[in-house]
Amino acid sequence: MRTNLMRQLRRTVATGAAIAALGGIGMVGAGSASAATHKNGVVEVGELGLYYLSNYGTPVFDLYVSNSDFSNDYFPGTTIRADNNTESDWNRDTYTWWVCTGYSYGGSCGYISPGGYGNLSSTYKNTVSSAYFS
Ligand SMILES: [Ca+2]
Ligand SMILES: [Ca+2]
């Protein structure tokens, strides 16, 4: 499993490349310097989105790095807890993400392939408490 530090380095490299590419066509704007922003309620490239409701019903808990414990997390901009409270997913990353029913990647774990999305199966619906990419 890759570490979150490696992940941060990867993000830095990717951001630089994106800025260079945009610079060539004159589209560098105020927003272009920020890549995927962890836990801002928007599922961006490089993130896993876990939705409060089935069929991608918002709010959505968006993760860019692994999170071993959802118990201190809320859906961004809300007071709704993310722990044991998600029903559908979208993996907008190039890595495989695993969701687990226990903290620290314990319990049952199931994977979501890069680009994968769907409603969580009965095992994972409203039971996910941690998630990691690998
Ligand atoms: Ca985001
Ligand atoms: Ca957490």
mmCIF file of all heavy atoms in Angstrom, residues 38-39 61 63 66-74 103 129-130, ligand 2:
data_model
loop_
_atom_site.group_PDB
_atom_site.id
_atom_site.type_symbol
_atom_site.label_atom_id
_atom_site.label_comp_id
_atom_site.label_asym_id
_atom_site.label_seq_id
_atom_site.Cartn_x
_atom_site.Cartn_y
_atom_site.Cartn_z
ATOM 1 N N HIS A 38 -9.404 17.737 -0.785
ATOM 2 C CA HIS A 38 -9.888 16.719 0.120
ATOM 3 C C HIS A 38 -11.063 17.238 0.957
ATOM 4 O O HIS A 38 -10.989 18.321 1.529
ATOM 5 C CB HIS A 38 -8.695 16.408 1.016
ATOM 6 C CG HIS A 38 -8.813 15.233 1.903
ATOM 7 N ND1 HIS A 38 -9.296 14.024 1.497
ATOM 8 C CD2 HIS A 38 -8.462 15.081 3.198
ATOM 9 C CE1 HIS A 38 -9.214 13.171 2.519
ATOM 10 N NE2 HIS A 38 -8.723 13.797 3.553
ATOM 11 N N LYS A 39 -12.139 16.478 0.995
ATOM 12 C CA LYS A 39 -13.261 16.792 1.873
ATOM 13 C C LYS A 39 -13.852 18.189 1.632
ATOM 14 O O LYS A 39 -14.074 18.951 2.564
ATOM 15 C CB LYS A 39 -12.848 16.656 3.346
ATOM 16 C CG LYS A 39 -12.395 15.251 3.727
ATOM 17 C CD LYS A 39 -11.969 15.197 5.179
ATOM 18 C CE LYS A 39 -11.448 13.812 5.550
ATOM 19 N NZ LYS A 39 -10.938 13.767 6.918
ATOM 20 N N PHE A 61 -19.075 12.525 0.733
ATOM 21 C CA PHE A 61 -17.846 12.556 1.517
ATOM 22 C C PHE A 61 -16.723 12.201 0.546
ATOM 23 O O PHE A 61 -16.664 11.075 0.048
ATOM 24 C CB PHE A 61 -17.969 11.518 2.631
ATOM 25 C CG PHE A 61 -16.807 11.420 3.569
ATOM 26 C CD1 PHE A 61 -16.201 12.536 4.099
ATOM 27 C CD2 PHE A 61 -16.349 10.165 3.961
ATOM 28 C CE1 PHE A 61 -15.142 12.418 4.998
ATOM 29 C CE2 PHE A 61 -15.306 10.038 4.863
ATOM 30 C CZ PHE A 61 -14.701 11.170 5.378
ATOM 31 N N LEU A 63 -12.790 11.706 -0.529
ATOM 32 C CA LEU A 63 -11.494 11.355 0.064
ATOM 33 C C LEU A 63 -10.402 11.337 -0.993
ATOM 34 O O LEU A 63 -10.553 10.702 -2.041
ATOM 35 C CB LEU A 63 -11.571 9.968 0.707
ATOM 36 C CG LEU A 63 -12.497 9.841 1.907
ATOM 37 C CD1 LEU A 63 -12.632 8.378 2.302
ATOM 38 C CD2 LEU A 63 -11.936 10.652 3.068
ATOM 39 N N SER A 66 -6.159 8.066 2.248
ATOM 40 C CA SER A 66 -6.805 7.044 3.074
ATOM 41 C C SER A 66 -7.284 7.627 4.394
ATOM 42 O O SER A 66 -6.697 8.573 4.921
ATOM 43 C CB SER A 66 -5.819 5.903 3.334
ATOM 44 O OG SER A 66 -5.383 5.348 2.113
ATOM 45 N N ASN A 67 -8.353 7.059 4.922
ATOM 46 C CA ASN A 67 -8.933 7.530 6.187
ATOM 47 C C ASN A 67 -9.279 6.286 7.012
ATOM 48 O O ASN A 67 -10.153 5.511 6.639
ATOM 49 C CB ASN A 67 -10.178 8.364 5.887
ATOM 50 C CG ASN A 67 -10.714 9.074 7.116
ATOM 51 O OD1 ASN A 67 -10.648 8.565 8.234
ATOM 52 N ND2 ASN A 67 -11.266 10.252 6.908
ATOM 53 N N SER A 68 -8.563 6.091 8.112
ATOM 54 C CA SER A 68 -8.690 4.857 8.890
ATOM 55 C C SER A 68 -9.857 4.878 9.876
ATOM 56 O O SER A 68 -10.140 3.873 10.532
ATOM 57 C CB SER A 68 -7.394 4.586 9.655
ATOM 58 O OG SER A 68 -7.188 5.607 10.618
ATOM 59 N N ASP A 69 -10.518 6.008 9.980
ATOM 60 C CA ASP A 69 -11.552 6.130 11.011
ATOM 61 C C ASP A 69 -12.502 7.263 10.634
ATOM 62 O O ASP A 69 -12.138 8.438 10.695
ATOM 63 C CB ASP A 69 -10.863 6.414 12.358
ATOM 64 C CG ASP A 69 -11.847 6.542 13.507
ATOM 65 O OD1 ASP A 69 -13.068 6.561 13.262
ATOM 66 O OD2 ASP A 69 -11.383 6.633 14.654
ATOM 67 N N PHE A 70 -13.705 6.904 10.243
ATOM 68 C CA PHE A 70 -14.680 7.923 9.832
ATOM 69 C C PHE A 70 -15.401 8.553 11.032
ATOM 70 O O PHE A 70 -16.223 9.442 10.844
ATOM 71 C CB PHE A 70 -15.756 7.305 8.922
ATOM 72 C CG PHE A 70 -15.314 6.973 7.526
ATOM 73 C CD1 PHE A 70 -13.993 7.078 7.122
ATOM 74 C CD2 PHE A 70 -16.256 6.540 6.594
ATOM 75 C CE1 PHE A 70 -13.610 6.756 5.823
ATOM 76 C CE2 PHE A 70 -15.890 6.223 5.293
ATOM 77 C CZ PHE A 70 -14.566 6.325 4.914
ATOM 78 N N SER A 71 -15.129 8.068 12.245
ATOM 79 C CA SER A 71 -15.949 8.503 13.383
ATOM 80 C C SER A 71 -15.808 9.986 13.696
ATOM 81 O O SER A 71 -16.659 10.560 14.369
ATOM 82 C CB SER A 71 -15.625 7.671 14.623
ATOM 83 O OG SER A 71 -14.325 7.951 15.091
ATOM 84 N N ASN A 72 -14.738 10.622 13.204
ATOM 85 C CA ASN A 72 -14.565 12.052 13.426
ATOM 86 C C ASN A 72 -14.833 12.843 12.143
ATOM 87 O O ASN A 72 -14.401 13.985 12.015
ATOM 88 C CB ASN A 72 -13.165 12.348 13.958
ATOM 89 C CG ASN A 72 -12.074 11.889 13.004
ATOM 90 O OD1 ASN A 72 -12.359 11.224 12.011
ATOM 91 N ND2 ASN A 72 -10.842 12.241 13.293
ATOM 92 N N ASP A 73 -15.531 12.237 11.204
ATOM 93 C CA ASP A 73 -15.767 12.892 9.912
ATOM 94 C C ASP A 73 -17.246 13.156 9.664
ATOM 95 O O ASP A 73 -18.107 12.373 10.061
ATOM 96 C CB ASP A 73 -15.228 12.008 8.784
ATOM 97 C CG ASP A 73 -13.713 11.957 8.782
ATOM 98 O OD1 ASP A 73 -13.100 12.989 8.482
ATOM 99 O OD2 ASP A 73 -13.157 10.891 9.106
ATOM 100 N N TYR A 74 -17.488 14.260 8.987
ATOM 101 C CA TYR A 74 -18.840 14.652 8.597
ATOM 102 C C TYR A 74 -18.863 14.861 7.088
ATOM 103 O O TYR A 74 -17.844 15.132 6.475
ATOM 104 C CB TYR A 74 -19.232 15.974 9.279
ATOM 105 C CG TYR A 74 -19.302 15.856 10.786
ATOM 106 C CD1 TYR A 74 -18.156 15.960 11.563
ATOM 107 C CD2 TYR A 74 -20.522 15.627 11.424
ATOM 108 C CE1 TYR A 74 -18.218 15.830 12.945
ATOM 109 C CE2 TYR A 74 -20.593 15.508 12.799
ATOM 110 C CZ TYR A 74 -19.429 15.615 13.564
ATOM 111 O OH TYR A 74 -19.492 15.483 14.928
ATOM 112 N N TYR A 103 -13.152 0.062 11.663
ATOM 113 C CA TYR A 103 -12.101 1.079 11.703
ATOM 114 C C TYR A 103 -10.746 0.418 11.405
ATOM 115 O O TYR A 103 -10.597 -0.800 11.548
ATOM 116 C CB TYR A 103 -12.063 1.746 13.079
ATOM 117 C CG TYR A 103 -13.367 2.409 13.453
ATOM 118 C CD1 TYR A 103 -14.064 2.021 14.594
ATOM 119 C CD2 TYR A 103 -13.924 3.405 12.641
ATOM 120 C CE1 TYR A 103 -15.273 2.617 14.935
ATOM 121 C CE2 TYR A 103 -15.123 3.999 12.971
ATOM 122 C CZ TYR A 103 -15.799 3.603 14.118
ATOM 123 O OH TYR A 103 -17.000 4.185 14.430
ATOM 124 N N SER A 129 -16.729 2.352 7.559
ATOM 125 C CA SER A 129 -16.097 3.140 8.635
ATOM 126 C C SER A 129 -14.654 3.517 8.351
ATOM 127 O O SER A 129 -14.042 4.256 9.129
ATOM 128 C CB SER A 129 -16.146 2.362 9.953
ATOM 129 O OG SER A 129 -17.482 2.266 10.417
ATOM 130 N N SER A 130 -14.078 2.990 7.263
ATOM 131 C CA SER A 130 -12.720 3.374 6.876
ATOM 132 C C SER A 130 -12.540 3.072 5.389
ATOM 133 O O SER A 130 -13.314 2.296 4.819
ATOM 134 C CB SER A 130 -11.658 2.658 7.721
ATOM 135 O OG SER A 130 -11.753 1.255 7.620
HETATM 136 CA CA CA B 2 -11.131 10.347 10.075
#
